[in-house]
Amino acid sequence: MVKKRSRSRPGEQAEAINTQCNKDKKCPVHPAGWSKHDFRYRYDYVYFSTKFYLFYSAEDDVFSIYINYGPDFSYKLVGGVNKVVSQ
């Protein structure tokens, strides 16, 4: 099982994007520091020696961040304008 600390990066990213959504009253299509990947955006980070990929997509005032830690465990965060980031 993945430790909570490795999941803190998705939460940090989600909170930063949520702040931007509320500031602009619209969620960013392309968050700063994320790269285009197919129809969404990707953010890479390393926790110890394991590389993780976060995937982001947004529509108007709502966004989601998805991470797959392996075949049996994934994690999704959602947020947006006047919303609290939640799983």
Side-chain angles (χ1 to χ4, degrees):
M1 173 152 268
V2 176
K3 294 187 179 194
K4 256 188 176 178
R5 180 170 282 185
S6 68
R7 290 189 284 167
S8 67
R9 184 67 57 93
E12 292 167 4
Q13 289 293 314
E15 289 296 340
I17 292 169
N18 205 54
T19 298
Q20 189 69 41
C21 291
N22 284 300
K23 179 182 169 196
D24 298 341
K25 303 296 182 214
K26 183 177 180 181
C27 294
V29 173
H30 180 187
W34 294 64
S35 59
K36 181 79 169 154
H37 184 78
D38 296 327
F39 59 92
R40 55 192 173 179
Y41 292 87
R42 187 174 90 185
Y43 178 87
D44 305 348
Y45 75 98
V46 176
Y47 180 72
F48 287 101
S49 61
T50 305
K51 192 170 192 175
F52 294 99
Y53 305 99
L54 305 180
F55 294 97
Y56 170 89
S57 60
E59 192 170 313
D60 297 322
D61 63 347
V62 178
F63 73 89
S64 63
I65 293 177
Y66 175 81
I67 184 168
N68 186 355
Y69 287 106
D72 299 332
F73 183 65
S74 62
Y75 189 68
K76 182 178 179 182
L77 295 169
V78 295
V81 178
N82 297 322
K83 294 180 177 27
V84 176
V85 173
S86 60
Q87 187 175 357

